[in-house]
Amino acid sequence: MSPIASDRLEEDPVDRHFWPAVADRVRQWLSTQGVSPRDAVVTLPYAGLLPVVRESFAQLGGWQPRIETTQTLAASLAPVGPTPSKEMTFDSATNDLT
């Protein structure tokens, strides 16, 4: 096999070694790019993969990237919803306006 072909993860079957191999490849790629894993976000296609992929990164030790789906990432980055009137929000700008 050529070095390029043997370097492709999609040629291997998806088994218990697949996600740890993906996590290791992502960690290696981040290193070659000079990016700390704690500054990276890995997005997955669906929420069922979150625990499996997080466990695979945890097995590597050290800092983990943020592992999200597009929906969980959007929900975590969305602005805070409205609060009942005259309630404390613990956001000084919002509290001053109220």
Side-chain angles (χ1 to χ4, degrees), residues 13-69:
V14 176
D15 60 8
R16 64 186 176 93
H17 302 290
F18 180 78
W19 288 112
V22 169
D24 187 49
R25 292 285 304 277
V26 169
R27 177 77 51 102
Q28 289 174 17
W29 183 83
L30 290 171
S31 178
T32 62
Q33 301 301 309
V35 176
S36 172
R38 68 180 175 193
D39 297 329
V41 177
V42 174
T43 56
L44 301 173
Y46 55 93
L49 292 174
L50 288 171
V52 175
V53 176
R54 287 178 176 155
E55 174 66 26
S56 296
F57 275 97
Q59 290 174 359
L60 296 175
W63 287 101
Q64 293 186 32
R66 185 174 180 170
I67 302 167
E68 304 278 356
T69 65

Side-chain angles (χ1 to χ4, degrees), residues 2 22-23 38 74 83 86-87:
S2 72
V22 169
R38 68 180 175 193
T83 57
K86 299 187 182 179
E87 296 268 334

